[in-house]
Amino acid sequence: MAKSIHFELSFSEPQAHYVDVEMQIQGFNDQAYIDVKMPVWAPGSYLVREYSKNVERLIARDDNGNIIQCQKISKNTWRISNPKEKLKLCYSVYGFEVSVRTSFIDDSKAFLSPVGTFMYIDGYLQHESTVKVNLYKDWNKVSTGLEKIGDNHTYYAPNFDILFDTPFQIGNQDTWSFDVDGIIHECAMVGLADYDKVQLTEDITKIVREENKIWGSNPNNYYLFVTHNYQNGSGGLEHLNSTILAASRFSYSQTTSYKNYLSLVAHEYFHLWHVKRLRPKELGPFDYESENYTTGLWIIEGFTSYYDNLIIRRCGIFDETEYLQKLAFEFNNVYNRPGYLYQSAAASSFDTWIKQYRPDENSQNVAISYYNKGAMHAVSMDILIIAKTNGVKRLDDVMKAAYEHFYLIENRGFEEDEFQNLSEEVTGVKLDDIFKAAHSTEDIDYNQYFNLVGYELVDRAEDQDHQSLGIKIGSNEGHTVIKNVDRDSAAWISGLNAGDELIAINNHRIEINGKALDYVLSNAKEGESVQILISRDGLIKEIQVKLIASAKKSYSIQRLKNASAEQRLLGDIWLSLNIL
């Protein structure tokens, strides 16, 4: 009998946040045992999340309903000995975590992260499977990127890599479709929100067309945008022909937040080429049981973080000032973390499994984000190519050529030196300094790039004489507490700790609004000492702190006052000012 794998999803207790999974396995009785596994992480979200912790009530039965031996042999593996010709593995999955990468189920809807829902048979990741969704009560819609077969909400996955990369939104989500350049795009809005379908369709269409121009072709004939609308929501996760987004339900009627949402759309849509297809060699085929290390996230996520806002600029949604503010944010985010002196963009990529998604009170002192630092390298590369080729080439040409070479022609991931070599071949521009900088904590002068196109990076806080403790405060059960202490700051040197409750400064009571802190610090001089009363582990302690001028940066990107006509022309090309 031919081997087959079929899943059925049901919802007997959605109000308690469960999905019931029946995995029907046929034809695997030609071996002494089969190991059934659940992935421990989700592609695109580089953290071992241990999805199997949510699996309950697992039991295996033969075709007659008799229980057969099924032993758990590791955290995510169940071994079925002497498998029958036909067998069923039944289990329930608990889903009650609000994020774009984890399942959430209640009596109104179900979002199913596929890596935390479906199991695979060890050695058979390339095997096809089908999934049938049995709708709960008055639910009437299934939104997914899988191919639908038949009329009973059954879907086909040619292999488990595709199944694990295709989430399910089930319930009564608001959906509508539109055609962009011959490709059907569908929006699925989950939860109440104040969006305008006509405006969203118009703006997303602009984004898709701009990105199609960069890449030259689109690999999909269908693409799904699922947006979860919450009181407060943000973030997204890319998939092969879909994306899951999170937004505030109030964001669509507010200009700034709406544009930020569109930037998120641009970011995740860009990933359908860059990450899902053009990728470092380590990111596919995947090992779903352990970390997949790469130093290349600064390229795939950092470059995407550069392009997301640039796409919105090219669409005419951001004006020049808005775009430059967004770009300056990348620099401020990096330079206001002391960790930029200790971790490179490449090291940040490699350590994402233990640092990026597990921040603690000391993270800002030891680490940066490859998103921000990668964007800084990307803009440098784009500008340098534009300047050296007199505007004939830019980073767009590199991205398109890399996609065609590594994905369309060779269908494989790239090594970083291969990506650099291809970039230099396509543009004729040497890029050693930028690629070396990505692997180093030594800083580079970014104005050597911005100046080429008539702009400059300016620290507006450079001449300010403002004293700082170097701490971030927050509230804990009504108490004002220190959340973070910056390396080499006044608080760091004097021994203030994260977790300390701040009681008073120079005999002024410290409230959560920070007014007393602001008052004392704004009237103090560098080198002056202040007395801070704290509670640490329930014990009162007074600490003397010698103040140091704030090291915080406040960068902006602005036009050079004495820019030449050539610099201004190149700047217009960079910011697409000549095509709007």
Side-chain angles (χ1 to χ4, degrees), residues 112-342:
L112 301 182
S113 171
V115 288
T117 302
F118 303 108
M119 296 189 186
Y120 67 95
I121 299 175
D122 192 23
Y124 291 90
L125 277 171
Q126 293 308 307
H127 202 282
E128 64 183 3
S129 64
T130 54
V131 179
K132 180 182 179 182
V133 179
N134 297 308
L135 295 175
Y136 175 70
K137 285 188 178 179
D138 56 352
W139 294 1
N140 57 34
K141 290 182 181 178
V142 177
S143 297
T144 182
L146 286 183
E147 175 189 354
K148 188 175 183 180
I149 53 175
D151 297 322
N152 61 346
H153 298 294
T154 301
Y155 303 86
Y156 172 75
N159 57 59
F160 276 81
D161 286 318
I162 289 178
L163 178 62
F164 289 150
D165 203 24
T166 313
F168 282 76
Q169 184 66 53
I170 307 166
N172 296 309
Q173 57 271 18
D174 184 17
T175 61
W176 71 96
S177 300
F178 50 97
D179 184 300
V180 185
D181 296 339
I183 301 160
I184 298 301
H185 292 75
E186 182 173 350
C187 288
M189 284 290 187
V190 183
L192 295 175
D194 58 354
Y195 52 87
D196 181 330
K197 292 184 185 180
V198 174
Q199 187 66 54
L200 268 175
T201 300
E202 178 182 329
D203 290 333
I204 293 175
T205 297
K206 290 178 183 177
I207 291 168
V208 171
R209 285 182 172 153
E210 283 298 323
E211 297 195 12
N212 283 343
K213 288 179 188 177
I214 294 172
W215 298 99
S217 62
N218 194 306
N220 292 316
N221 55 26
Y222 170 84
Y223 191 89
L224 172 67
F225 297 95
V226 177
T227 302
H228 296 156
N229 294 292
Y230 307 108
Q231 183 173 358
N232 296 294
S234 62
L237 185 61
E238 71 276 1
H239 296 282
L240 200 63
N241 67 345
S242 63
T243 184
I244 307 300
L245 311 171
S248 165
R249 64 174 61 99
F250 309 113
S251 62
Y252 307 96
S253 60
Q254 300 171 7
T255 300
T256 298
S257 57
Y258 178 61
K259 291 180 180 181
N260 289 340
Y261 171 78
L262 293 177
S263 180
L264 176 63
V265 169
H267 183 105
E268 301 304 336
Y269 197 78
F270 199 84
H271 275 322
L272 78 86
W273 295 275
H274 194 45
V275 170
K276 301 315 302 182
R277 292 167 175 88
L278 175 61
R279 55 175 175 77
K281 68 177 181 63
E282 299 88 354
L283 296 184
F286 294 116
D287 177 354
Y288 292 102
E289 291 196 89
S290 60
E291 296 85 349
N292 292 218
Y293 293 103
T294 177
T295 59
L297 295 181
W298 71 273
I299 296 176
I300 58 173
E301 285 292 358
F303 283 31
T304 305
S305 292
Y306 169 58
Y307 267 104
D308 52 19
N309 290 318
L310 188 62
I311 294 297
I312 303 304
R313 165 67 205 141
R314 291 181 184 179
C315 291
I317 297 169
F318 280 151
D319 62 26
E320 178 183 355
T321 299
E322 289 173 314
Y323 171 69
L324 293 177
Q325 287 174 343
K326 291 292 184 182
L327 183 57
F329 170 82
E330 311 288 0
F331 289 83
N332 285 316
N333 195 292
V334 169
Y335 285 130
N336 283 321
R337 293 175 65 95
Y340 85 90
L341 296 170
Y342 298 88

Side-chain angles (χ1 to χ4, degrees), residues 305-550:
S305 292
Y306 169 58
Y307 267 104
D308 52 19
N309 290 318
L310 188 62
I311 294 297
I312 303 304
R313 165 67 205 141
R314 291 181 184 179
C315 291
I317 297 169
F318 280 151
D319 62 26
E320 178 183 355
T321 299
E322 289 173 314
Y323 171 69
L324 293 177
Q325 287 174 343
K326 291 292 184 182
L327 183 57
F329 170 82
E330 311 288 0
F331 289 83
N332 285 316
N333 195 292
V334 169
Y335 285 130
N336 283 321
R337 293 175 65 95
Y340 85 90
L341 296 170
Y342 298 88
Q343 188 183 57
S344 69
S348 174
S349 302
F350 192 84
D351 280 345
T352 184
W353 296 93
I354 56 175
K355 292 188 176 181
Q356 175 72 18
Y357 293 96
R358 286 194 175 111
D360 60 25
E361 70 283 347
N362 199 43
S363 292
Q364 83 280 3
N365 292 317
V366 297
I368 58 169
S369 169
Y370 48 79
Y371 286 86
N372 308 123
K373 196 63 181 287
M376 292 162 62
H377 293 319
V379 66
S380 304
M381 190 168 163
D382 194 17
I383 287 174
L384 184 62
I385 294 169
I386 291 170
K388 293 295 185 181
T389 63
N390 292 315
V392 175
K393 300 279 189 180
R394 66 177 307 167
L395 189 55
D396 293 21
D397 299 282
V398 170
M399 306 307 289
K400 181 181 179 182
Y403 173 71
E404 291 176 348
H405 178 77
F406 293 114
Y407 176 71
L408 292 180
I409 297 175
E410 298 194 359
N411 191 27
R412 66 176 179 88
F414 60 79
E415 301 271 8
E416 281 188 57
D417 60 347
E418 291 181 312
F419 189 88
Q420 180 183 347
N421 291 339
L422 182 141
S423 301
E424 294 177 342
E425 180 183 336
V426 168
T427 63
V429 178
K430 295 296 292 181
L431 301 165
D432 279 347
D433 288 348
I434 294 171
F435 278 82
K436 286 179 180 177
H439 287 262
S440 172
T441 56
E442 292 185 17
D443 208 9
I444 59 177
D445 178 11
Y446 288 97
N447 270 329
Q448 69 177 306
Y449 302 105
F450 282 116
N451 291 172
L452 293 172
V453 293
Y455 286 83
E456 62 178 339
L457 185 68
V458 178
D459 182 9
R460 294 175 297 178
E462 188 173 29
D463 297 326
Q464 295 181 7
D465 184 21
H466 177 67
Q467 305 312 305
S468 171
L469 293 175
I471 62 174
K472 181 180 180 181
I473 64 172
S475 177
N476 183 9
E477 296 182 347
H479 302 292
T480 304
V481 297
I482 298 176
K483 295 295 187 182
N484 306 107
V485 178
D486 285 343
R487 183 185 295 273
D488 297 328
S489 66
W492 174 284
I493 294 169
S494 66
L496 285 171
N497 295 172
D500 287 347
E501 179 191 350
L502 296 174
I503 299 174
I505 180 170
N506 285 359
N507 297 319
H508 294 283
R509 175 71 179 178
I510 296 175
E511 304 291 350
I512 192 60
N513 58 25
K515 286 185 178 180
L517 283 173
D518 291 340
Y519 171 76
V520 172
L521 295 176
S522 63
N523 289 281
K525 303 295 182 183
E526 185 170 5
E528 182 178 332
S529 291
V530 296
Q531 301 297 323
I532 298 182
L533 190 66
I534 67 167
S535 172
R536 179 180 295 169
D537 192 30
L539 300 177
I540 304 300
K541 184 175 183 178
E542 188 171 65
I543 295 180
Q544 181 173 292
V545 181
K546 188 175 182 180
L547 296 178
I548 299 174
S550 173

